[in-house]
Structure formats: structure tokens, C-alpha cells
Amino acid sequence: MKVLPELGIGIDLGGTQAKGVLVTQDGVVRRQVVMPFDGGEAASWKAAVEAIAIELRTAAAGQPYTLGLSAPGLPDAHNTCIRWMPGRLEGLEGLVWAELLGEDRVPVINDAHAALMAEHQFGAGKGCRHLVLLTLGTGVGGGLLIEGQLFQGMGNRAGHLGHTSLDHQGITGITGLPGTLEEAFGNESVSRRTSGRFQTTLALVQAYLEGDTFGTWCWLDSVRKLAIGIAGFCNTFSPEKIILSGGIAQAGEALLRPLQTFLDVYEWRPGGLQVPVTIAHFQEYAGALGAAAYGMRA
């Protein structure tokens, strides 16, 4: 059995800031840090990541550690860099992080995959061998844990569950598929879905809570489509849990109550088998924690 290092450093590169954690293998966070940067220029975000790495190495105080990194995009086959992320973070594609940070190895994973790893190692999915995580935010992303291992698939693109088609006649999404779950539920499409009445999911949920008729219909229609997608994932992967992460998941019971009602209609439950749906334990530092967890095991 592989002996895990006592400490893991995880760094999560976002669009406007980088976050880092120093965490023990049993989930105790020793240090966390956030470093904003200006725009997507390479020099700016590279400097932020390097500064975080220096601070967390110092905090490790000479103890052995591993270092992992999460970022948007698709990693290469060996998880050494992001090989595909067009249009964002200039200079990210092809950057070998081990070389930049002066480490023997820096395993790199997609940010949604990192959120899954955080929940599996330290959070709502601890102890599970089969998990589906959905990130509900600007779009809809996700990750798959199969037999206790992150499943990345060929080209490391597995887990992009938001790009599952629910309606063959719907609007075509960024991957070329029509009527995707991302279009049905992501924050980016709220205005289109509500005839311009609502610009954010937060405003739509608030209208639902206040009893606004049109807002209620739009929100419940979106949640119904999410339930259909989740029921399909249960049939395909048969996970022990579905974990909901991201900003929209913070709607809490306003999301979970109607979602469970729709799942009572759509989920196939042979022999009474039912997949629990829960909100992720981690939010703000999920990517950094997941990068650390993956780094410890890679």
C-alpha cells in the first residue's frame, strides 16, 4: 500500500485569483491563502501561483509534502499541464507546472474534478467508492469517481456532465450538442430561459421564494430538468451519492426540496434503491483542497 505524505499543498487557479491550502492527509487545514491577480495575463497569474507556493512551502516547515494544482480546462494524458483551454488565461495551455514551481512533479487536474476529489477525501463523499459531483454555477460541470478513483477517460474530458443533451431540439451549446443540462440550469442562460425577466439564478430563486408565479414556474422547470439529468446519471453510473457543488447549490432547500420531489417521479429505484443527493461540504477552497488530495495520491 502506498504511504501517503503527511502534508499536501493544493493550489486552485481561477479566472481572477488563485487559492492555496496546506492540509494534512486527514483533512486538517494548516494554512490557506488567496492571491488576486489582474486579468488573464500570464505574468500576473503565474506570479500569484508562485507566491502561494512559496508561502505554503514555508508553512510546511521542512515536513515532506506533495503539491497539486487545479485549473480550468483539460489536462494532458499525464496530468502535467492543461493542454486545452482556449480563450482564457493566456499562456496556460502547455505550461508544465513542475518546471515553473521547481518541483519534481505537480499533478494537474480540472477544477471540477478537484472539487470531486475534495469531497471524496475530506467531505460529503468520504468513504464512498462511486460518486457523481455536479458543479452548478455559470455553467454545469462535474466529475466521476469509479471504484474509488477519479475517472478522467480518454483525453481527460470525462465528467463534463453539463454537456449531456436533454432536448434534441434545444439551443446548441459550446460542444455542439443541443438542449444540454448546462443550458437548462447554468447561470449563463438564465436570461434566455426567463424571457429576460431575470438576469441571475439568485434573482430567480428569490422570486420563487417570494411566490412570484412566473419566477416559480421558471425555477421549477429548471429544477425538473436537473432532476431528469440526475436520474439519467443514476442509471448510467449508479453512484452511492450525487453531490451538488458551486454557487447555485447554495440555494439549499429552495433547490433540494423541489429536486427531491421531481426525483421521486423520475428516478428508477429497483428494489427501493435510491441515490441520496447532498450539498457539497466545501465551496470556496474546494479546488485547492481537491488539488492537494489528488497530489497526495498521484
Side-chain angles (χ1 to χ4, degrees):
M1 180 181 292
K2 181 180 179 179
V3 177
L4 301 181
E6 175 60 27
L7 296 176
I9 293 173
I11 300 176
D12 179 39
L13 177 62
T16 60
Q17 61 185 8
K19 298 172 184 174
V21 296
L22 176 68
V23 62
T24 67
Q25 62 176 273
D26 56 0
V28 177
V29 176
R30 294 269 189 91
R31 180 73 63 86
Q32 59 188 38
V33 60
V34 59
M35 190 80 61
F37 51 81
D38 296 325
E41 292 80 12
S44 181
W45 54 258
K46 285 180 182 179
V49 171
E50 288 179 294
I52 289 174
I54 290 170
E55 180 172 338
L56 295 179
R57 285 179 187 132
T58 301
Q63 289 184 266
Y65 66 84
T66 56
L67 194 160
L69 185 133
S70 88
L74 302 182
D76 69 342
H78 301 289
N79 291 92
T80 60
C81 68
I82 295 296
R83 67 170 178 83
W84 192 83
M85 183 67 250
R88 290 175 60 190
L89 295 171
E90 168 196 328
L92 176 63
E93 291 184 334
L95 175 65
V96 178
W97 285 93
E99 296 176 1
L100 178 70
L101 298 177
E103 299 280 344
D104 291 335
R105 184 156 189 256
V106 176
V108 178
I109 55 172
N110 171 266
D111 47 6
H113 290 179
L116 170 66
M117 293 302 298
E119 297 301 326
H120 174 237
Q121 186 62 30
F122 307 121
K126 191 172 183 179
C128 294
R129 292 183 59 76
H130 308 288
L131 291 171
V132 168
L133 178 135
L134 290 172
T135 56
L136 309 175
T138 302
V140 175
L144 301 170
L145 189 85
I146 299 175
E147 297 292 352
Q149 300 295 321
L150 174 66
F151 181 71
Q152 299 181 91
M154 184 181 71
N156 282 353
R157 69 174 179 176
H160 281 75
L161 302 173
H163 300 313
T164 302
S165 179
L166 302 179
D167 176 11
H168 74 283
Q169 294 181 321
I171 294 173
T172 300
I174 62 173
T175 63
L177 277 177
T180 63
L181 177 57
E182 179 167 281
E183 175 65 27
F185 201 81
N187 192 61
E188 190 275 334
S189 64
V190 168
S191 181
R192 291 194 297 274
R193 303 195 321 255
T194 64
S195 301
R197 285 277 302 277
F198 302 98
Q199 302 305 309
T200 67
T201 302
L202 177 62
L204 178 58
V205 171
Q206 188 59 42
Y208 162 72
L209 292 173
E210 293 172 356
D212 177 86
T213 301
F214 184 72
T216 295
W217 179 81
C218 291
W219 175 241
L220 292 181
D221 183 60
S222 299
V223 176
R224 172 178 172 268
K225 291 172 181 174
L226 175 63
I228 291 170
I230 287 175
F233 302 145
C234 291
N235 294 341
T236 304
F237 304 111
S238 195
E240 294 165 73
K241 280 186 180 179
I242 300 278
I243 300 175
L244 305 180
S245 182
I248 300 178
Q250 297 310 293
E253 287 302 306
L255 169 60
L256 288 179
R257 279 197 307 269
L259 178 61
Q260 191 58 62
T261 298
F262 287 122
L263 283 171
D264 289 343
V265 176
Y266 296 116
E267 184 184 357
W268 181 37
R269 297 170 178 169
L273 179 67
Q274 180 178 350
V275 179
V277 178
T278 187
I279 302 298
H281 182 74
F282 301 108
Q283 295 294 334
E284 187 177 3
Y285 282 86
L289 283 164
Y294 185 74
M296 286 178 173
R297 282 149 183 76

